[in-house]
Amino acid sequence: MYAEIIIPAALPKNYTWSVPDHLQLDVKPGCRVEVNLGKSKKYAGVVKRLHEEKPEFFEAKDILNLLDVEPVVYEEQLKLWEWMAGYYMCSEGEVMAAALPAHFKLSSETILVFNEEYGDDFTALDHDEYIVGEALLIKKELNLNEVQQLLDSSHVYPVINRLIHKKVCYVWEALKQTYTPKKDTFILLNPAYDNEEKLSGLLNNWTRAPKQMELLLSYLHLIKTEGEVTKAALLKKAGASDAQLKGLVEKNILRAEKRVVDRIQYLPKNVSIDFELSQVQEKAFTELQEKLKEKAVCLLHGVTSSGKTNIYIKLIETFIRQGKQVLYMLPEIALTSQVIRRLQKHFGGYIGIYHSKFSQNERVEIWNKVKNGELRVILGARSSVFLPYQQLGLVICDEEHDASFKQQEPAPRYNGRDAATWLAALFGAKTVLGSGTPSVESYYNAATGKYGLVELFTRYGDLQLPPIHIVDTRSIIQKDKTKIILTPALIEAVKEVLARGKQVILFQNRRGYSPYQICGVCSWIPQCKHCDVSLTFHKLSNKLVCHYCGTSYPPVHTCAACGSDKFVQRNFGTEKIEEQLQETFPEAKVARMDIDTVRGKNAHDVLIQQFEQKRVDILVGTQMVVKGLDFDNVDLVGILDADGLLYFADYRVNERAFQLMEQVSGRAGRKEATGKVLIQTSQPKHPLLLIVQQHDYKAMYVEEVKKRKEFAYPPFTRTIHLTFRHKFKEVVERAALQFSNSLRQRYDQYLVGPAEPVIGRIRNQYLMELLIKLPRDTRTIQQCKKDILEQVAILHQHTSFRSVTVVPDVDAV
C-alpha cells in the first residue's frame, strides 16, 4: 500500500511514501504521519489518499510513524486544499501550512518549550514522557534531535504529541505571539461558614471594621446573583480597597484563588431570539429564503444600518435548528469583537471565534471543538475557512467587498470570500454575501443571474442616510502652504456635536505623524535603504519608519544632500490628527484606532468598548474604523483627505473610494438623528464625489461596468498578476522580458507589461510586474496557469535567473 502525503513545504507535487504492514489497518486519509524527506528532514504530513500504484521513477520510503488515531482533517478539507492549490497556483503543502495550527505541523526544526504552569509533578507521565519532561524542566527547551538522543529512538513524534496534549510543553512557533493564559482572581467563602447558623453568628457578633463588613455583605449578594465572584467585581461593588479585602482573607473568612479563564466565555448552549424583524427586514428575509432555494449563492445588498445582521441572526437560527454548522466571515478582526457580543446574546455557547490574533493553543482548542461538532457557529476572519467542518449548512460573508478577504503574503494568496463559496458548494451548503457597497464582480454576478439578489434600501427605523457636505480645501490657504487638517467648517461641526453630547469619527487612510518630510531648500526626501519609498515620521516613538519593510530609523535633522535643517512635514497621518484634535478640543477625550494602537490581542476590543460606553468623544482612525462597526451615538463623520482615496494607479480606484466613503458615512446617525458627513477635498467637482453625495451605488456600478468592458478588466476577464523579484535590477528586467516573450506566442493579446511597479524596490528586491487578462473561459485559464508554471521552471533552468522569484497572484485585488 502507498500513501500520497502532503507535507508543509512548497513542493510542486505531493510525494508518495509506502505504508508498512503494521500501519496498514490504522492509516486513514486525513491522519498525520511522520515521514522522512531527503537524508535528515522529518515532517508531520497529512495523508491525502491511499492507493496501490507503485511510484515509477523512485523507490518509496516507509512511513515512520502514525501520529493520529482519528483524522485531523476531513475529506472536504483535503478537497478544498487541492482546489486552492490549483486555482491560486501554489502547492498543497503551502495551503496546509496556512490551514493547520502550528501544533499539527511538527518538523525537524521544531523546538519544544517547557510550560512553567505545569509544575514539576510528573507522576501522570509514562516512562518516555517522564524522561523528556525532566529534561525540559532543567533545560527549558529542547529541539527534536535532542529528544531523539534522550529516548535513543528516531520515533519520538507520538511522545511529543502526548506531552503537548498534556500541556507539559508548547511548540516554539506557538509562542511567537507571546501569549499567556488569561488569569483571574476568584473570591470564595471559607467552607467553615457554609451553614447559615455559623454565618449568622459571624455577622451578628461583628464589632469592628465596618468596611470589611460591607465587603462581606457585597460578597454574599454577588455569590447569590452571579454564582461566582471575581476580585475585581467585588471591589467595584463594595467600593473597597485591596487592603480591606486582604484583612478578610487574613481573618480566614474569605479566600482568594487564581484561575485560568477562557478568552471566550463559552456560555450555556441555547438559542434565544428576543427581537422581531421590521416589516422591510421580514420581506427581505422571506425573499432571501426563497432565493436560496433556487440559487446556491445570494447577494444581500442592504444600505448601511439597514439591519443586515438581524437578518443573518434569523437565518443562522433556522440552520442551527436543523443541526447544521454556520460559518460567519468578517474581513477584519476588529469587527469580530463587536459582532461576537451580539451573536453570543442569541446563540450562547454554540458560537466560537477564530482568527490570527489567537495563540496556537487556543486555535487547536477551537479546531477540535469544530471537528467534534460542539461549536455550531464560527465567527472568523478569512483563515476560518480552513476549519474541519462536518455539517456546514450556511456560509455568511459579511462586508464581502472588502479587500482584506484577500491574503497577500505568503502563499496561498487566496480570497476568503471565494474560498468560502467553494467550500459551501462542497457541502451543498448555501452562501449569503452581504454588503452595503457590493464589489462590482459580485453585483455583476447577481445582475446576470448567477447569484440571487435581495436589496434593502431603507435604514432600520426609517432613518435617512446622512447628508454629505463637500468642503473645498483649496479656498483655505495655510501660512506654511501645507495641507489643512481641520477646516473651519469641520471644527464648527465637531464643536456643535460635542456640545450635544454626541460622538465624532474622523477618517484618514494614513497612519503615523507625517507620511514624508522634505528639505525646504533642495527638496531632498529621506528614503528607506531597502525600499524605494519615503519614510513616515512617527512622533510617539520618535522614529522614521518604512511602512513596506518595517525598518525604523532615527529622525533626520539635517539634509543629507545640502546640509540644511529646514525640513517641512508634508501631508498628515492619524498621529498628527490626534495631536491637533487634542490642541483644538482640550476638553474632549480623543482616541486613535490604527495598526499602531491595536497591536495587542484584545486592544481593538477594549477601544471599541470604550467608544461604545462614551468614554471617548472623538475617534480618529484608518480604514479599521469604517468596516461595519455599529455605534449608536455617532452624529458626525469626517473624511479628512478624500484626495488620498481618489488618485491611485489602479483600475479599481473609483470603486474602492466609493466603498470607503460610503462605508465611513454609514457610521453616522445609526439610531436616532440622521447624522452628518463632511468630506474635505481639493477636487469638489470630482464626478465620484457627486455620486457619493447621492449615496448612489447603482450610478457608480453602471459607470464602472461600462469602463471595465471597454478596457477588458474584471468582471469581464480573469486576471493573473505576476511579480518578478531579484536583488539586481538588470537581472529582474531581463527575466521578466524573457518570460513575457515566451508567453507572447500564445497569449499576446492578453498581456500587459512587463513594467516596473510604482514602488520598484521592496526589502532590497527589485520588482517587475506582468498582468495577464484572460477571457472567462475555464479551459483557457487552466491552460494558461499550466503554461505559466512551465515557463517558471524553464526560467529557473537558466543559471542567471535561478534566484529570480516569480510570484503569481490570481484574481489580484
Side-chain angles (χ1 to χ4, degrees), residues 741-757:
N741 286 342
S742 26
L743 279 184
R744 264 187 212 291
Q745 300 156 17
R746 199 165 187 171
Y747 303 102
D748 189 33
Q749 73 267 40
Y750 307 136
L751 296 187
V752 180
E756 191 180 333

Side-chain angles (χ1 to χ4, degrees), residues 77-134:
Q77 275 73 47
L78 293 171
K79 282 181 182 166
L80 177 72
W81 294 5
E82 185 181 340
W83 170 80
M84 212 177 251
Y87 188 85
Y88 291 107
M89 297 176 72
C90 60
S91 67
E92 284 180 62
E94 288 170 307
V95 179
M96 174 190 170
L100 292 183
H103 289 358
F104 290 155
K105 300 179 295 197
L106 302 172
S107 74
S108 50
E109 287 86 35
T110 299
I111 291 174
L112 302 177
V113 180
F114 182 61
N115 175 15
E116 297 290 349
E117 288 198 1
Y118 188 84
D120 53 5
D121 177 11
F122 294 146
T123 47
L125 306 185
D126 68 23
H127 179 260
D128 286 353
E129 292 164 9
Y130 181 83
I131 292 172
V132 180
E134 279 288 311

Side-chain angles (χ1 to χ4, degrees), residues 80-273:
L80 177 72
W81 294 5
E82 185 181 340
W83 170 80
M84 212 177 251
Y87 188 85
Y88 291 107
M89 297 176 72
C90 60
S91 67
E92 284 180 62
E94 288 170 307
V95 179
M96 174 190 170
L100 292 183
H103 289 358
F104 290 155
K105 300 179 295 197
L106 302 172
S107 74
S108 50
E109 287 86 35
T110 299
I111 291 174
L112 302 177
V113 180
F114 182 61
N115 175 15
E116 297 290 349
E117 288 198 1
Y118 188 84
D120 53 5
D121 177 11
F122 294 146
T123 47
L125 306 185
D126 68 23
H127 179 260
D128 286 353
E129 292 164 9
Y130 181 83
I131 292 172
V132 180
E134 279 288 311
L136 277 166
L137 182 65
I138 298 157
K139 282 194 74 179
K140 300 303 177 210
E141 57 180 62
L142 297 169
N143 65 28
L144 206 74
N145 294 336
E146 289 170 324
V147 178
Q148 287 171 340
Q149 285 164 9
L150 275 172
L151 299 179
D152 196 20
S153 158
S154 61
H155 302 326
V156 296
Y157 277 80
V159 180
I160 291 171
N161 249 346
R162 295 199 299 272
L163 287 170
I164 289 170
H165 189 67
K166 290 176 181 176
K167 297 199 166 53
V168 177
C169 60
Y170 296 123
V171 176
W172 169 247
E173 200 181 338
L175 299 182
K176 271 188 190 159
Q177 293 187 330
T178 48
Y179 168 68
T180 49
K182 187 180 171 191
K183 284 188 165 183
D184 226 335
T185 306
F186 285 82
I187 306 297
L188 306 163
L189 186 67
N190 184 338
Y193 298 109
D194 268 358
N195 72 28
E196 289 283 324
E197 208 176 302
K198 285 194 174 168
L199 189 58
S200 302
L202 173 72
L203 294 170
N204 294 333
N205 299 320
W206 198 285
T207 50
R208 290 171 306 177
K211 200 68 191 164
Q212 288 184 4
M213 170 76 153
E214 203 180 312
L215 199 60
L216 183 58
L217 289 170
S218 296
Y219 170 81
L220 295 170
H221 175 74
L222 281 174
I223 199 81
K224 263 204 169 105
T225 53
E226 304 290 331
E228 53 184 14
V229 181
T230 63
K231 179 178 166 182
L234 177 59
L235 293 179
K236 188 179 174 188
K237 178 154 180 67
S241 68
D242 253 352
Q244 286 153 348
L245 178 61
K246 199 176 169 198
L248 284 176
V249 173
E250 282 167 357
K251 285 178 181 168
N252 223 3
I253 296 168
L254 294 177
R255 60 195 181 87
E257 79 172 37
K258 274 197 183 306
R259 291 187 204 160
V260 173
V261 291
D262 241 335
R263 183 185 181 277
I264 302 172
Q265 301 299 317
Y266 287 106
L267 305 166
K269 290 185 165 59
N270 65 329
V271 178
S272 71
I273 309 295

